[in-house]
Amino acid sequence: MTGDEKPDGIAMLIDRAGRATRGLQFMDGLSPAQWEALRYVSRANLHSRNPSALAAFLGTTKGTVSQTLIALEGKGYLRRERRARDRRAVRLEITPAGRALLRKDPLRRIEALVVAVLSPALRAALADGLDRLLDDPGRHADGRALGVS
């Protein structure tokens, strides 16, 4: 037993993995938050491609998301479309340039490492454990959920 299996060791490993992942995402002139927003919009269904849903997913404020969207629009990776029925409602769309950029997503490097280093059984166990840790509404730290809504 190396000590990494203990709760404090696991917490430190999760922290290190998070910092390493964040560090990789400062590329192509984007911040980690901008990469996360692009990924979210590219995968979200039509009803969830709006600033409020993005803010809820990221666990941040609408103001912070607004600044992220302004930056992505300015770079030509995303656009906001007003809905015909309700001009106040906005749908977020990835542009062709945004889709091309997502093909170079820095998280693909981590995906390649996971496939290269972990067996399918270990990947399944890791995914299950992280899913339970982050998404289970019954799990809280200091009264706050660890996952996002």
Side-chain angles (χ1 to χ4, degrees):
M1 187 176 219
T2 64
D4 290 341
E5 299 87 358
K6 294 179 182 176
D8 63 335
I10 293 170
M12 286 191 285
L13 289 172
I14 290 170
D15 180 56
R16 285 180 55 204
R19 281 186 280 116
T21 301
R22 288 279 180 229
L24 284 176
Q25 293 181 78
F26 285 100
M27 73 180 269
D28 290 312
L30 269 65
S31 70
Q34 291 166 354
W35 277 108
E36 271 191 289
L38 274 179
R39 283 185 210 106
Y40 173 83
V41 175
S42 73
R43 292 179 171 173
N45 65 43
L46 288 176
H47 302 292
S48 299
R49 277 194 253 149
N50 61 67
S52 294
L54 176 59
F57 176 78
L58 296 176
T60 190
T61 66
K62 291 178 187 176
T64 298
V65 163
S66 178
Q67 293 304 309
T68 299
L69 295 175
I70 288 168
L72 290 171
E73 281 182 296
K75 295 173 184 191
Y77 299 134
L78 185 125
R79 67 177 175 271
R80 295 184 232 201
E81 295 181 352
R82 298 273 175 204
R83 296 192 182 166
R85 288 185 180 169
D86 182 356
R87 300 295 296 162
R88 295 169 297 171
V90 173
R91 179 178 300 149
L92 303 172
E93 296 292 338
I94 302 285
T95 64
R99 291 204 185 283
L101 185 64
L102 280 167
R103 287 192 287 277
K104 299 188 316 181
D105 186 340
L107 284 188
R108 290 180 185 253
R109 290 172 56 191
I110 294 170
E111 291 171 17
L113 285 172
V114 166
V115 170
V117 173
L118 301 177
S119 70
L122 282 175
R123 288 195 305 261
L126 179 61
D128 181 59
L130 289 173
D131 187 51
R132 288 175 189 226
L133 178 69
L134 297 173
D135 292 334
D136 185 347
R139 305 247 195 292
H140 297 278
D142 297 330
R144 295 181 302 178
L146 292 175
V148 294
S149 333

